[in-house]
Amino acid sequence: MNQTRRRHTLLYIIWLACLAFALPQAVQGAGKETTFRITVLKSSGQPQPGMILKIASRTQEYIGDAQGLITFNYEIEENYTRKAYLYFPSDRDKSVASFTLEPENTTKTFYIDSPQDIVAFKQSQQTFPIEGIVKDDSDNPIMGAVISIQGTGRKTVSDEIGLFRIDADFNHPVTVRVTGMENRSIPIQSFLQNPNEPYVIRMYHKNSSRIYSSVERMPEFPGGMKAFQRYLKRNLKYPPQAKRDSIEGVVAIQFVVERNGRITSPVIVRSLEASMDTVALEVIRNMPRWIPAKDHGITVRCKYSVPVQFKIERPKPVRPNPALASKDSLTRKDSLRIDSLRIDSLGVDSLLTDSLRPFRKLLAGDSLRLEKDSLHLPVDSLRLKKDSLLLPADSLVVRQDSLIGRKDSLTQAPDANATPDKPKKRNIFVRFFRWLFGIKDK
């Protein structure tokens, strides 16, 4: 008895040890719910209310309040990253910004201007303070760079670490000049996308680092554009949410082909949707090296633009086989078609009594199709008194052209020379109507 008790005690201890080991692992693997606070402002610092936030593969939407604040809870998964997208209320199909949901970065601020805001800024000629750092292609700061707002007379120079500050507006670009280097012209939007950090401006020496846009021999993908399209087809991954929403279109991307064929500085010149823009940039960055451009026999750096098309594959419709269609029409050749048979063509529509009203639809149907021997009406189904129909023999008018059938199915008028003891056989329909209306043979 004691041995059995000791054995049970040992099993209980082992079970507790396993539970103590597995429970922390389960808790660690479970997702942790995190609260995110996203603020959307205009470039002027005013709130951008009503912005819509959607999480990829989720149907729920989060709306910004009057202060431009969007607050939501999301359960972070360890081995899976999910992105969130921002939309204007007036355009729920095209995202204007995106970010990755990360537990260590739950508070974000975006500066996004609507087209109406930009028009208002241009009309008011409002200025915005901007900051930037001027560096060369080796990431060294450039002191003494001249920064000016073209057409306004406002200018400044960079300090010893390449930093500068100046007031800019939406009507004039920011121009940067350095002796011996190519001039740069930058729109104000580049500085305002992240106003909390200085915008980095890279300058390149003339000639040696010049980026050409038109040369004698343009850069080329190995194998030509057909090979480039095959590369896109193999490597371009359609975003699941965009595919479910049936979003299609083209993302145009511009990049620089370096002298060694490497792809650098890819930028979107024609946007489609945030997730699709991200996928297109990724596939361009991972391209193999191109054949570099040449000008006057010298290998040079050159800009190049390519379209990245997103199109959902759909099954082709099955075309009908004409041979089968003609064969099907032949099978109906022997059928008796009386689609044009109507009560009005018999001239008895106004003579129907109340006892025949239930059969009006049967007799007047436009799409009535009768096959041979398909009309089966028992005698008991028609209970009509003989005196209820007072029709003269000549009141039944049958137009020969209203019946589409065989020639022998139409009953002709009795021949005057025919012998009275051998009358001609009447059509089954004529006989039925004569019996129905109580018309006797003469």
Side-chain angles (χ1 to χ4, degrees):
M1 187 70 179
N2 294 332
Q3 186 177 1
T4 303
R5 185 177 298 173
R6 284 196 299 270
R7 184 182 302 170
H8 289 170
T9 303
L10 181 60
L11 291 175
Y12 182 70
I13 294 174
I14 294 174
W15 179 81
L16 288 177
C18 293
L19 182 63
F21 176 77
L23 186 60
Q25 298 295 327
V27 173
Q28 184 178 0
K32 181 182 178 182
E33 192 174 73
T34 306
T35 301
F36 288 84
R37 295 172 60 87
I38 308 301
T39 304
V40 184
L41 304 175
K42 301 179 182 180
S43 296
S44 58
Q46 298 176 345
Q48 188 71 269
M51 294 295 292
I52 300 171
L53 185 144
K54 296 181 183 178
I55 301 176
S57 303
R58 300 289 180 90
T59 58
Q60 187 175 0
E61 297 180 353
Y62 303 94
I63 311 298
D65 59 13
Q67 303 302 319
L69 178 64
I70 305 174
T71 304
F72 64 96
N73 295 327
Y74 177 73
E75 187 175 316
I76 300 294
E77 302 174 19
E78 283 189 0
N79 300 322
Y80 185 78
T81 59
R82 196 177 294 272
K83 301 194 71 174
Y85 302 91
L86 292 172
Y87 301 83
F88 281 117
S90 58
D91 190 357
R92 295 170 176 260
D93 297 328
K94 184 178 179 180
S95 59
V96 293
S98 64
F99 62 96
T100 303
L101 298 174
E102 300 172 336
E104 63 276 4
N105 196 2
T106 60
T107 302
K108 288 180 175 291
T109 300
F110 290 90
Y111 291 85
I112 303 175
D113 297 315
S114 66
Q116 295 80 7
D117 297 331
I118 295 176
V119 171
F121 291 149
K122 288 183 177 181
Q123 291 176 350
S124 63
Q125 297 184 356
Q126 183 176 354
T127 60
F128 303 90
I130 62 172
E131 287 186 340
I133 294 180
V134 184
K135 295 184 178 182
D136 59 15
D137 54 357
S138 300
D139 206 32
N140 298 317
I142 298 177
M143 184 178 64
V146 179
I147 298 92
S148 61
I149 308 301
Q150 187 175 355
T152 64
R154 298 192 298 269
K155 63 174 57 177
T156 186
V157 294
S158 59
D159 58 15
E160 61 276 4
I161 62 173
L163 181 66
F164 68 89
R165 295 179 181 87
I166 195 172
D167 291 335
D169 57 70
F170 278 87
N171 293 308
H172 306 91
V174 180
T175 303
V176 183
R177 295 182 177 87
V178 178
T179 303
M181 293 187 174
E182 298 284 349
N183 297 335
R184 294 286 308 274
S185 183
I186 307 167
I188 189 176
Q189 287 89 339
S190 301
F191 296 88
L192 297 179
Q193 286 179 355
N194 191 5
N196 299 324
E197 296 181 3
Y199 180 72
V200 178
I201 303 172
R202 299 195 180 279
M203 306 294 291
Y204 298 94
H205 292 277
K206 290 183 178 180
N207 300 325
S208 61
S209 299
R210 178 181 176 183
I211 301 175
Y212 292 78
S213 57
S214 178
V215 293
E216 290 181 346
R217 179 180 172 183
M218 296 296 290
E220 183 181 0
F221 186 89
M225 290 307 296
K226 290 185 178 180
F228 172 74
Q229 295 297 333
R230 290 195 296 268
Y231 166 80
L232 290 181
K233 190 173 182 180
R234 290 193 305 266
N235 297 277
L236 187 63
K237 297 180 180 179
Y238 217 113
Q241 183 64 34
K243 193 170 186 178
R244 281 190 290 269
D245 295 340
S246 299
I247 302 177
E248 297 180 338
V250 176
V251 178
I253 299 180
Q254 185 182 81
F255 51 87
V256 177
V257 180
E258 300 291 343
R259 286 189 288 267
N260 58 1
R262 189 168 57 90
I263 304 302
T264 60
S265 306
V267 293
I268 295 175
V269 294
R270 180 183 175 184
S271 178
L272 180 61
E273 193 270 344
S275 62
M276 304 171 87
D277 296 346
T278 302
V279 170
L281 279 174
E282 188 67 19
V283 76
I284 292 300
R285 288 193 184 100
N286 295 331
M287 283 192 302
R289 296 196 177 192
W290 282 43
I291 301 172
K294 286 190 176 182
D295 192 58
H296 299 288
I298 301 174
T299 303
V300 295
R301 306 170 70 202
C302 185
K303 290 182 180 179
Y304 201 83
S305 300
V306 293
V308 179
Q309 185 176 18
F310 289 87
K311 187 175 182 180
I312 300 174
E313 296 282 342
R314 293 181 175 86
K316 296 182 179 179
V318 180
R319 296 182 178 178
N321 191 339
L324 296 178
S326 60
K327 183 178 179 181
D328 182 67
S329 62
L330 291 176
T331 59
R332 303 182 182 180
K333 185 176 181 181
D334 295 334
S335 62
L336 181 61
R337 301 180 182 178
I338 57 172
D339 291 351
S340 60
L341 177 61
R342 298 185 65 88
I343 292 298
D344 292 343
S345 66
L346 298 177
V348 295
D349 183 47
S350 61
L351 301 176
L352 291 176
T353 60
D354 293 338
S355 61
L356 292 178
R357 295 301 178 190
F359 301 93
R360 180 185 180 114
K361 291 186 178 180
L362 175 63
L363 297 175
D366 290 342
S367 60
L368 181 63
R369 297 176 180 263
L370 299 178
E371 302 287 341
K372 289 181 179 181
D373 302 332
S374 64
L375 185 61
H376 300 285
L377 296 176
V379 178
D380 295 339
S381 64
L382 297 174
R383 298 179 181 179
L384 304 174
K385 292 183 179 181
K386 192 172 183 180
D387 298 337
S388 64
L389 293 175
L390 300 176
L391 303 175
D394 56 351
S395 64
L396 184 61
V397 181
V398 180
R399 291 190 300 185
Q400 184 175 349
D401 57 355
S402 65
L403 296 176
I404 302 175
R406 296 183 177 179
K407 288 184 178 181
D408 55 4
S409 66
L410 298 173
T411 304
Q412 304 292 335
D415 191 356
N417 299 325
T419 57
D421 55 342
K422 291 183 179 180
K424 290 187 177 181
K425 293 183 179 180
R426 299 181 182 279
N427 184 278
I428 184 174
F429 296 106
V430 177
R431 283 189 289 157
F432 170 72
F433 284 114
R434 293 182 68 84
W435 172 83
L436 180 64
F437 296 110
I439 302 173
K440 295 182 179 181
D441 296 335
K442 292 182 179 179

